[in-house]
Amino acid sequence: MNITDPLVLRSDVILVPVADLPAEVRGKFEYDEGDYTLSRRHGRLPSQVIDGETAALLALFRTPRTIVDAVLVNSRDLKKDPEAWLDELLPHIGTFLTNSVLVAAGSEEEREIAPSLADGRQAGDWTIVHCVSLIEDSEIYRVRGGARDAALKIARRAMPFEPSLFGNEALVLERLWRTDDPVRPSPGQAGLPVPRLYDRGSLDGRPYLVIEWCPGMDAGTASSHRRHARPSMLDLVCGIAEAYAALHERGVLHGDVHPRNVFVADDGAVRLIDFGFGTIAGETPRVGRGGMYQFFEPEYLAAQHRGIELPASPAGEQYALAALLYLMITGNHYVEFRAERVEMIRQAETEAPLPFAQRDLPPWPEIEAILARALSKDPAQRFPGMRAFADALRAVRDAANAELLATPLCDDAAPFLETALQAFARGGAMFESGYIEAPVASINYGSAGAAVGLLRIAEARRDPALLALADVWRSRAFRDRGKPDAYYNETLELKSATLGTITPYHTESGLHAAAALIAHARGDLVALDAALEGFIRAASLPCENLDLTLGKSAVLLGATLLLEMVDDERLRRFGDATLAAIWGELDGHPPIAHDAPDTYLGIAHGWSGYMYAALRWCAASSTPLPASLPRRLDEFIALGVRRGRATYWRRQVGGHPQDVTTGWCNGTAGHVFLFTAAHDALGEERLLRIASEAAMHAAEETLYNADLCCGTAGRAYAMLNVYKHTGDGAWLSRARLLANHAASYRGEIARTNSLWKGEMGVAVLLADIQSPENARMPFFE
């Protein structure tokens, strides 16, 4: 390019007035009034601040023109001497040319960077699927060769394969996967945290590598999904530290530590990518350093400021990794870096890592101390090696796991349970007042719920006095069943049009179901027969709703609970007919992903509940599963989102990605029961794994209310369910943690003393958890 030729501002250049930036961004750098920031959409260089006069000059190059022409126009607008202004601007223009901000008009560089390889094109034995990354000097494509997916990394211009970064990366990857090196024997390839090199070559003179495809997300994205859940975050940072330790033990330094070079698979497996700056002592040439200033060790920055380029070192890479882990855990860099390079270097050399509390996070002393040591300004004060750094992190995780396994019930648990029992016993406040606010009789909100809850506590404690008390509350429910406020509250969201007429959770069928359960426990066969007859009669009223708390799936689950207690032909006929009606309608639905966008997925009101009720009925009655149920289960599984060791589902098919809950009714606690029931029916180990992943989501998310329906009591029962299926004591400990929250909760309660929305459900949990192998969520398990 001739300096006198017309130039043009590259199309991916972005000029933004500093005044338009958010205040927190402006606070990171020095600027004057009228300054602009300059950046490139596909460039590697960081943004820079330029004055308004220079920005005005660059804006002139939106249309092609020579430097002289642009300076003449700009000087006239600014009322400056053109010759003196040109002399002042030439160094800046040279920088803009070097950084490809200004390029030759009509050249390839003028246009917005676009993929150079079309989908479907061949590169050796590989077929291009699509472009996944695009920057000024390289492109990355997903490719397929036979049955294998891979990543094709190719330069954007022709160059020799050696000694380019492509050649260096190939050398490092080949060395890492060698198993026959007598001079530098490998510790083994099992669990090696780097992709395999499948192929290398040139296409139209451009070097390329074909590397094993690494599914998942970069470390920055992966950490953002775990920041609220410290156990999951601790697993992630330990996995990344272990990956770097394994690399160093093989004599390799990565040389380019930053979040986008660490990939985390859905199962939490870590892969380190982009080894263009990787080094093997005595085997690779000096290739400089990659990375970002916020991760560089202070000794490297100080040397670079003096014009000396230090090579990567184990101690320096430890510092960079600690800076990365701090960013992942807190969402911020370890100091409040300014944007100017000189000031950033000074901060790295002198400022200590900020405590987590100053990042608006709870303190984490053990982790903060480890990161502070690895971020020591003196390399000699850091850990003696990456393995020691990783071991220190793992020791914190092991201690946390040991503490989890030793979790006891809190001091509030026993008094909570006894206070609840005293309130419902003769002479207690609830016994005297009864349920005042409608609905007063139902299982969810009224006296039938007290009866079911007391029955469950009586069973857990083997206490005949509590069984008798449960029967008293059952009689109260029947006393009130004809009242206008027995089942509905038309002034609240508990209207008859919403709750329907058949569900045992909200209507008369539930009173008969509770009566049957209590009659069976008391050995009263006459009362049991009458209660079964009453349940079937009340549950047979017309209903179009299918869901598990308001509709046909609710009465199917109620019939299941009764059939598990007593084999009755009337129940069998009723249950089989109800199952056929439900699945006859469901078989007319499209695939779940294409169902109506307001379709619920949870256990209480959606697909999870439909399948759970069917699985439970078929197990109790030895009826074959609906033929389409396994397919529907797979459709449901496909909608799950895997994040680390947890999986979750949106509340609705077309819901917002953040519309996710942990409760029993619409969230992952309810899904746990679906997948353990599916595992019991189908015997597939993957279903128990998915149940555990759903339970992990329910265990680690934010704790809010305490009830069975939406709160920590229901989530605790999900943990107990997984514990009963796996025998893993960690699930029992998680159940205790959630039960402790429920027992200590002092926030707003939706329905005082109700089974599903109030203290009675928590009391049942606190009794049940004393014998966790026998725990059963009331009127559900």
Side-chain angles (χ1 to χ4, degrees), residues 27-72:
K28 295 180 181 294
F29 56 87
E30 299 290 341
Y31 62 92
D32 294 320
E33 186 177 352
D35 282 353
Y36 280 68
T37 60
L38 182 151
S39 57
R40 282 189 50 210
R41 189 174 294 111
H42 298 293
R44 286 187 180 274
L45 294 175
S47 299
Q48 64 184 101
V49 178
I50 60 174
D51 59 65
E53 294 175 341
T54 306
L57 173 71
L58 285 176
L60 292 172
F61 287 99
R62 294 290 185 192
T63 57
R65 63 181 72 222
T66 65
I67 293 173
V68 171
D69 178 50
V71 171
L72 284 172

Side-chain angles (χ1 to χ4, degrees), residues 16-199:
V16 179
V18 172
D20 291 350
L21 298 174
E24 62 270 20
V25 176
R26 295 198 304 270
K28 295 180 181 294
F29 56 87
E30 299 290 341
Y31 62 92
D32 294 320
E33 186 177 352
D35 282 353
Y36 280 68
T37 60
L38 182 151
S39 57
R40 282 189 50 210
R41 189 174 294 111
H42 298 293
R44 286 187 180 274
L45 294 175
S47 299
Q48 64 184 101
V49 178
I50 60 174
D51 59 65
E53 294 175 341
T54 306
L57 173 71
L58 285 176
L60 292 172
F61 287 99
R62 294 290 185 192
T63 57
R65 63 181 72 222
T66 65
I67 293 173
V68 171
D69 178 50
V71 171
L72 284 172
V73 173
N74 188 235
S75 62
R76 184 177 66 243
D77 293 342
L78 299 174
K79 297 181 172 53
K80 291 179 178 285
D81 175 71
E83 187 172 348
W85 189 227
L86 176 62
D87 289 341
E88 188 175 337
L89 288 174
L90 276 177
H92 300 294
I93 293 173
T95 301
F96 295 146
L97 290 169
T98 300
N99 294 340
S100 297
V101 173
L102 293 176
V103 296
S107 67
E108 284 289 327
E109 291 180 300
E110 177 185 347
R111 291 182 286 277
E112 176 88 19
I113 292 177
S116 61
L117 302 180
D119 295 355
R121 178 173 175 177
Q122 290 296 122
D125 296 330
W126 303 88
T127 303
I128 304 290
V129 178
H130 60 84
C131 182
V132 296
S133 178
L134 194 62
I135 52 178
E136 58 188 331
D137 56 6
S138 63
E139 305 169 14
I140 300 177
Y141 295 84
R142 188 167 188 167
V143 296
R144 186 161 295 134
R148 288 194 301 189
D149 278 3
L152 171 74
K153 183 177 180 180
I154 186 168
R156 285 188 56 82
R157 60 182 179 84
M159 64 175 69
F161 196 93
E162 305 287 357
S164 70
L165 296 182
F166 287 83
N168 190 74
E169 181 164 11
L171 177 63
V172 172
L173 292 179
E174 287 170 345
R175 169 65 191 81
L176 279 169
W177 284 100
R178 281 183 61 185
T179 58
D180 59 349
D181 188 343
V183 177
R184 194 193 294 266
S186 168
Q189 269 62 45
L192 189 62
V194 300
R196 291 180 181 272
L197 177 66
Y198 289 153
D199 198 2

Side-chain angles (χ1 to χ4, degrees), residues 475-545:
S475 68
R476 284 191 167 197
F478 273 84
R479 180 197 66 192
D480 295 336
R481 66 176 172 168
K483 292 181 178 180
D485 61 354
Y487 310 122
Y488 311 113
N489 189 327
E490 300 295 341
T491 64
L492 300 177
E493 296 300 316
L494 301 172
K495 303 181 186 340
S496 56
T498 302
L499 301 184
T501 58
I502 68 169
T503 168
Y505 289 103
H506 294 285
T507 68
E508 183 179 341
S509 70
L511 276 60
H512 294 290
L517 294 170
I518 292 170
H520 180 266
R522 299 181 67 210
D524 187 340
L525 299 182
V526 173
L528 172 61
D529 185 75
L532 293 177
E533 188 67 36
F535 170 78
I536 294 170
R537 182 179 63 255
S540 298
L541 295 173
C543 177
E544 299 301 319
N545 197 324

